[in-house]
């Protein structure tokens, strides 16, 4: 989450501040020790004067100097305030000390955490990947120190299941981690000893290494399952090790790890917590919700099942419209609405997914900012492409004035077994079309967009939805 996407509460510098662990103003005038944590098990130790007013820009400069980050890669990282309850990427103008004083206010505003959890939560300052840094630029980095920082963060996200991936991906990534950490000269026995000494969860996602299922199935199959996972790692490790005995360079291995992660569309996302409705299985069943992670990056939005570790919905920005709504009554939720093309019994429809989250406003603002960044960087090229398309007959005989097509119907999102692919069939969505008078469910005529917030035509070559008048009696399902 980006710190600029919200209006922070005013700083409480009087005696009623909730932050009992923060230094007094008298202490702040002297030099203070500050720890800036890196992904992994290390930290940068800084001595800072005027801690109460030091900015992210100043602090970031000190961290870059301590880590010897080259100027060409200085935009690859940003300072974050992070805790188990909330993550904030900070802007250059922010002052970390003041945000720490406001941390409890931010938790009350943007999380569902209990009062006890909020009172005990303490943020740490982290130096992590900048969510706005393009993957294309990352591929050009050659500095080993920078690559290792990116590797450690990506590896942590793989191991904790934040980046869902298929067996072929996590086996390759695990073997690469093993090679990066231990080198290429280990024989089978040494490898087995190393893997068992560090545990499989040091190389494979925790949910893979630990397995799932009941106690009995775990007891029966744990040994044979772990042996199989170890064997797969060993085989992949041998493929990475050169048969000619020429060990690959560390930068080559780090690039290979990051390039593999780049195949995951949500690599580099900022993540937000939320819930969605579960599909109702029967008339008497009460509506339930499931926890999801919402990843947002420069390419699009990805909704992931927290428990099952797979993607439920992945959309590029030109494939969706969005908005957020505030609670209207006590007990209502903040909602992020995502609208995309779908089909019901062969009928093209618009689908609406509701994501319940106190961070809905942040997500909406973040989507808008990412779209603006893409528009600024790609607008010229997209406009040129629009001109070329306009000079010829449009594909499929589509009329350029067709308000419903975004340049024609896109292919349907396919159901696949890969954890990376969308599972639209498992979502509880609202489906609707437009009958010319008011929006209703599943009418024959294709609807225009329910929302006015969408990617502009200047950003992408395809035309976007037109806005429609929303009827007051729209079912909210």
């Amino acid at each position: 989450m980006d710190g600029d996407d919200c209006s922070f509460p005013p700083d409480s510098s009087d005696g009623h501040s909730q932050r009992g662990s923060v230094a007094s103003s008298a202490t702040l005038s002297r030099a203070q020790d500050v720890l800036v944590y890196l992904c992994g098990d290390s930290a940068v130790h800084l001595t800072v004067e005027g801690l109460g007013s030091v900015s992210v820009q100043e602090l970031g400069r000190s961290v870059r100097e301590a880590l010897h980050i080259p100027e060409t890669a200085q935009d690859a990282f940003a300072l974050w305030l992070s805790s188990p309850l909330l993550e904030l990427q900070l802007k250059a103008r922010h002052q970390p000390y003041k945000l720490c004083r406001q941390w409890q206010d931010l938790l009350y505003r943007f999380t569902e955490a209990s009062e006890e959890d909020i009172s005990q939560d303490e943020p740490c300052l982290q130096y992590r990947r900048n969510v706005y840094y393009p993957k294309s630029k990352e591929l050009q980095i050659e500095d080993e120190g920078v690559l290792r920082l990116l590797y450690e963060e990506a590896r942590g996200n793989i191991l904790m299941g934040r980046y869902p991936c298929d067996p072929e991906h996590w086996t390759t990534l695990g073997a690469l981690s093993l090679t990066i950490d231990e080198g290429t000269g280990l024989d089978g026995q040494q490898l087995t000893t190393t893997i068992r000494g560090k545990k499989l969860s040091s190389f494979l996602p925790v949910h893979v290494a630990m397995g799932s299922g009941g106690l009995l199935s775990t007891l029966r199959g744990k040994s044979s399952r772990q042996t199989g996972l170890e064997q797969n790692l060993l085989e992949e490790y041998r493929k990475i090790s050169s048969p000619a005995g020429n060990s690959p360079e560390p930068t080559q291995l780090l690039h290979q790890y990051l390039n593999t992660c780049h195949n995951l569309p949500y690599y580099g996302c900022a993540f937000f917590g939320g819930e969605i409705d579960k599909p109702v299985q029967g008339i008497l069943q009460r509506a339930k919700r499931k926890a999801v992670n919402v990843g947002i990056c420069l390419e699009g939005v990805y909704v992931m099942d927290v428990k099952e570790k797979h993607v439920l919905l992945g959309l590029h920005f030109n494939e969706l419209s969005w908005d957020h709504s505030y609670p209207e009554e006590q007990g209502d939720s903040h909602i992020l609405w995502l609208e995309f093309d779908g089909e019901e019994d062969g009928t093209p429809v618009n689908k609406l997914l509701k994501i319940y989250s106190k961070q809905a406003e942040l997500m909406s603002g973040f989507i808008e900012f990412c779209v603006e960044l893409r528009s600024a960087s790609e607008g010229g090229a997209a406009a040129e492409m629009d001109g070329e398309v306009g000079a010829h007959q449009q594909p499929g005989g589509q009329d350029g004035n067709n308000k419903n097509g975004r340049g024609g119907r896109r292919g349907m999102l396919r159901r696949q077994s890969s954890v990376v692919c969308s599972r639209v069939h498992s979502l509880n969505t609202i489906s609707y079309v437009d009958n010319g008078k008011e929006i209703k469910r599943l009418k024959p005529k294709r609807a225009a967009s329910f929302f006015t917030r969408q990617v502009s035509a200047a950003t992408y070559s395809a035309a976007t939805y037109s806005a429609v008048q929303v009827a007051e009696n729209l079912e909210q399902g």
Side-chain angles (χ1 to χ4, degrees):
M1 181 177 76
D2 194 299
D4 240 14
D5 294 332
C6 64
S7 299
F8 293 132
D11 179 30
S12 300
S13 49
D14 57 22
H16 299 287
S17 173
Q18 302 100 323
R19 308 292 303 173
S21 61
V22 198
S24 66
S25 58
T27 307
L28 292 175
S29 61
R30 301 194 299 267
Q32 296 290 312
D33 290 334
V34 175
L35 285 178
V36 180
Y37 291 89
L38 308 177
C39 292
D41 299 324
S42 58
V44 177
H45 188 176
L46 301 175
T47 300
V48 180
E49 294 187 1
L51 180 61
S53 59
V54 69
S55 68
V56 166
Q57 183 175 15
E58 297 168 304
L59 209 54
R61 186 185 305 116
S62 298
V63 175
R64 290 194 299 271
E65 291 174 356
L67 295 174
H68 306 291
I69 303 294
E71 186 176 348
T72 54
Q74 65 179 5
D75 293 334
F77 301 98
L79 286 174
W80 293 66
L81 275 181
S82 301
S83 81
L85 299 182
L86 186 63
E87 298 179 352
L88 285 169
Q89 178 174 315
L90 307 182
K91 290 289 189 179
R93 61 179 173 79
H94 286 146
Q95 297 175 335
Y97 172 78
K98 292 185 177 180
L99 289 181
C100 283
R101 291 179 65 88
Q102 301 170 19
W103 192 248
Q104 287 192 358
D105 297 321
L106 294 171
L107 295 180
Y108 277 114
R109 181 175 176 184
F110 295 122
T111 75
E112 300 285 355
S114 66
E115 187 171 346
E116 181 181 358
D117 288 341
I118 288 176
S119 66
Q120 296 177 359
D121 192 65
E122 190 84 18
C124 68
L125 198 58
Q126 285 188 314
Y127 192 65
R128 288 167 44 184
R129 189 185 189 279
N130 179 1
V131 73
Y132 302 120
Y133 195 70
K135 288 189 285 189
S136 58
K137 286 189 177 181
E138 187 175 296
L139 293 173
Q140 302 170 15
I141 295 174
E142 296 295 337
D143 184 88
E144 184 178 343
V146 174
L147 291 173
R148 282 193 177 274
L149 289 174
L150 294 169
Y151 157 74
E152 289 291 350
E153 181 169 352
R155 178 186 183 180
N157 285 326
I158 291 290
L159 295 182
M160 73 173 64
R162 186 172 255 190
Y163 290 167
C165 53
D166 293 314
E168 60 269 24
H169 280 130
W170 47 250
T171 301
T172 299
L173 292 171
L176 283 168
S177 288
L178 186 57
T179 309
I180 291 169
D181 293 350
E182 305 297 331
T184 58
L186 302 182
D187 59 29
Q189 183 59 48
Q190 290 173 321
L191 282 171
T192 301
T193 302
T194 299
I195 293 172
R196 291 179 179 176
K198 288 191 172 183
K199 297 184 179 180
L200 272 173
S201 56
S202 297
F203 305 104
L204 301 178
V206 174
H207 67 280
V208 173
M210 301 302 293
S212 59
L215 178 60
L216 291 178
S217 62
T218 301
L219 292 175
R220 289 194 200 104
K222 184 175 181 179
S223 178
S224 60
R225 187 175 185 277
Q226 288 198 335
T227 301
L229 293 172
E230 290 173 5
Q231 188 60 38
N232 291 338
L233 269 182
L234 294 177
E235 292 176 1
E236 195 65 30
Y237 174 87
R238 293 190 182 102
K239 293 178 185 178
I240 296 171
S241 301
S242 173
N246 298 322
S247 299
E249 294 293 328
T251 54
Q252 182 182 348
L253 294 170
L254 294 168
H255 269 300
Q256 191 174 347
Y257 191 98
L258 292 172
N259 288 344
T260 304
C261 288
H262 286 189
N263 293 325
L264 305 173
Y266 28 80
Y267 173 79
C269 277
F271 288 92
F272 306 80
E275 293 181 324
I276 62 173
D277 292 315
K278 287 184 176 181
V280 178
Q281 302 297 324
I283 299 176
L284 300 179
Q285 183 181 6
R286 295 183 59 186
K288 296 182 179 179
R289 296 179 183 175
K290 70 167 61 179
V292 295
N293 278 333
V294 182
I296 304 174
C297 62
L298 293 174
E299 283 76 36
V301 181
Y302 302 89
V303 182
M304 290 166 266
D305 192 310
V306 170
K307 181 180 178 181
E308 301 298 332
K309 309 297 183 187
H310 60 219
V311 175
L312 295 169
L313 181 66
L315 297 168
H316 290 116
F317 290 128
N318 63 329
E319 297 177 310
L320 63 87
S321 298
W322 80 97
D323 208 341
H324 75 276
S325 57
Y326 297 95
E328 295 182 357
E329 298 179 0
Q330 187 72 24
D332 287 352
S333 302
H334 296 259
I335 297 174
L336 176 72
W337 300 82
L338 297 180
E339 179 198 57
F340 55 98
D341 292 341
E343 189 174 283
E344 292 276 349
D345 300 325
T347 301
V349 297
N350 295 57
K351 284 185 172 289
L352 288 174
L353 177 66
K354 295 193 294 185
I355 302 175
Y356 304 93
S357 174
K358 275 194 168 183
Q359 298 176 16
E361 180 183 3
L362 296 174
M363 288 188 270
S364 179
F366 189 46
I367 292 172
E368 187 165 11
F369 189 65
C370 287
V371 168
E372 289 174 357
L373 283 180
R374 289 186 66 90
S375 178
S377 62
E378 301 177 5
E384 184 176 341
M385 290 177 61
D386 281 343
E388 293 176 359
V389 172
H392 301 81
Q393 183 177 2
Q394 296 191 12
Q398 292 291 331
D399 190 331
N401 294 324
N402 181 4
K403 72 174 183 176
N404 295 330
R406 298 184 186 176
R409 287 281 299 169
R410 300 186 318 276
M412 294 296 297
L413 294 168
R414 294 173 294 171
R415 302 182 186 183
Q416 299 186 24
S417 58
S418 171
V419 299
V420 178
C421 296
S422 297
R423 288 162 170 73
V424 181
H425 61 283
S426 67
L427 296 174
N428 186 2
T429 58
I430 300 171
S431 301
Y432 71 91
V433 295
D434 184 5
N435 69 353
K437 296 181 180 179
E438 59 185 15
I439 297 175
K440 294 183 178 180
R441 288 177 183 262
L442 299 181
K443 293 295 179 182
K445 188 176 177 182
R446 180 75 170 86
S449 177
F450 180 59
F451 300 122
T452 58
R453 304 187 74 173
Q454 52 201 228
V455 179
S456 66
T459 307
Y460 293 94
S461 58
T464 55
Y465 282 155
S466 301
V468 294
Q469 188 65 38
V470 182
E472 295 182 357
N473 63 347
L474 172 63
E475 295 182 52
Q476 295 297 310

